[in-house]
Amino acid sequence: MTAPGVLPDRAVDPTGFLLAAADVREKRIDAATPGPWHSNGHDEEEGGCGLLGGGVPGSMQERGIAYTTAFTNRRCHADAEHIAAEANPAHARAEVALWRACAAEHQRREGNVRVSLGAEFDSAGWRDGSPVLAAAVAAARAYLGGES
């Protein structure tokens, strides 16, 4: 998965990176099939599991999103359930909100001082390389496929 454009350097501007990654993710959410998403279970005839979304389960608005296949029925169903939970637009939007809140809190504590991850403490004792910010940046980087 590649991020469009050039994102800010996560080591120099971690909050800028996090906010840019949140924007990328939100654009992808907006373009995707709306939730809720769920697996329809294993289809013996087709040999895989469907992933459905776009409306209330069983409604006319619901449509297929993806189809998983695997060596075993159990793995196939687990793959579909995992995708439905992790990529579900509601879950993705909640994580975008979390990234933005983390960046906002960091910016609030940071004030006007721009330092890199792992730098000095500011007057409030907030370290730019805080574990919370570092974890959020790592999550955003992983979402983008480890790029940037």
Side-chain angles (χ1 to χ4, degrees), residues 87-99:
N88 190 321
H91 175 263
R93 284 192 196 284
E95 191 157 324
V96 164
L98 181 64
W99 292 355

Side-chain angles (χ1 to χ4, degrees), residues 3 10 19 21 25 33 44 47 50-52 56-58 60 65 70-71 73 79 83 85-86 105 109 114 116 142:
R10 69 182 184 281
L19 292 170
R25 190 167 190 183
T33 300
E44 293 292 335
L51 186 63
L52 305 173
V56 176
M60 294 300 289
I65 298 169
F71 185 67
N73 292 351
D79 288 348
I83 294 166
E86 293 298 320
E105 177 64 12
R109 290 176 179 255
R114 303 299 303 172
S116 65

Side-chain angles (χ1 to χ4, degrees), residues 34-111:
W37 289 12
H38 67 96
S39 168
N40 68 344
H42 189 263
D43 183 335
E44 293 292 335
E45 191 172 302
E46 297 293 327
C49 297
L51 186 63
L52 305 173
V56 176
S59 73
M60 294 300 289
Q61 295 85 14
E62 187 176 59
R63 62 185 176 270
I65 298 169
Y67 197 75
T68 64
T69 60
F71 185 67
T72 66
N73 292 351
R74 191 185 80 207
R75 179 71 52 121
C76 169
H77 184 67
D79 288 348
E81 288 293 320
H82 173 72
I83 294 166
E86 293 298 320
N88 190 321
H91 175 263
R93 284 192 196 284
E95 191 157 324
V96 164
L98 181 64
W99 292 355
R100 288 200 171 116
C102 183
E105 177 64 12
H106 178 71
Q107 288 173 327
R108 184 186 70 77
R109 290 176 179 255
E110 181 183 51

